[in-house]
Every structure is written in structure tokens, then in C-alpha cells.
Amino acid sequence: GTRVVFADNDYSTKMQTKRTGGETVMELVKNDSGAAMLPNKVVKYGAAAGERRNTVDAYAGANDTGHGVVDEFLPAAGVPNGEYFWMAVDGPCKIINSSAAALVIGDHILTSATGEVGKRAAEADNDDYIGTAEAAIATSATGIIYFRPRVV
């Protein structure tokens, strides 16, 4: 997919106010999952030959490798199957915290079920987290993280 760097702004209003002052790398990909993909969810590249970096076909599961986050500025219904959309592949973006605990600034996060994320329980020797909380994020709420994909 094509990659473009966007300023981390709130594009939901005409004012486009700055959020973190950083930049987010976005990649244009096709939804090949068979269903709509919802905003703020962590997704995986397509597994079939030739699909890598062109399509996404599933949400990341628990402790899974996440390749990107579905564009937060899509409508709540998400992107229909077969359509193209932007996904964040590096930098600030919004996610959904599904863990039992609120996230605080600096918490390392992992994928949990259905493309949502949660707090990494303990620091481990391996480097398996997919991002760092940039703000406090309550349970079952959306908030900004710095997404950094795991090496795959």
C-alpha cells in the first residue's frame, strides 16, 4: 500500500487542531475481511501470497502482531468489505482500551481480543508491545497511543 505522513491533528473538525504535535504514517490498504472493519481497531495484513501491505483481512487477536490501526476518522460503521482505507502504521493514533484497568501515560500495551488493546501486565525480556499510551485511557474508552508495530 501507499504510505503517506500526516500531521497528528484532530481532523474531525474544520479547525484541525493539533493533538500531539507528532506525525502519523498512514498506509492505504483494502479491507478483505469479509465484513466492515471498525475505526480504532488493530488489524493484520492479508495472509495470502501477494496480499502483504496491500490488504488487511482480520483484527489482531490477543497478544498478536498488529500491523496497523483502522483510521479513527472513518464513520462508526467502519469501512465496508472490498473498500480501501487508511490505517496508521507508525505514530500517534486512537485505539480502544478493553483491559480491566485504565491506561496511564507511558503504559506499554498489547493487543487483546477483536483488535482492541490492553495494558501489558509486566515488563518482559522480549519486546512484544505494540505501543505506548500517550494519555490516560479509561476502560472501554478510546484514547491516543503511539503505535509502533512489532517486527514481523
Side-chain angles (χ1 to χ4, degrees), residues 96-114:
I96 303 169
N97 175 21
S98 65
S99 66
L103 299 173
V104 298
I105 295 173
D107 277 350
H108 290 163
I109 59 172
L110 296 170
T111 55
S112 57
T114 65

Side-chain angles (χ1 to χ4, degrees), residues 1 29-30 32 44-57:
V29 292
K30 182 179 181 183
D32 198 24
K44 298 175 64 163
Y45 286 125
E51 290 186 349
R52 184 141 176 89
R53 296 200 187 278
N54 294 312
T55 66
V56 293
D57 64 4

Side-chain angles (χ1 to χ4, degrees), residues 46-91:
E51 290 186 349
R52 184 141 176 89
R53 296 200 187 278
N54 294 312
T55 66
V56 293
D57 64 4
Y59 292 125
N63 299 321
D64 208 350
T65 299
H67 297 118
V69 178
V70 178
D71 187 353
E72 66 193 77
F73 299 109
L74 288 171
V79 61
N81 184 56
E83 296 295 322
Y84 286 84
F85 68 98
W86 291 109
M87 75 172 181
V89 294
D90 189 25

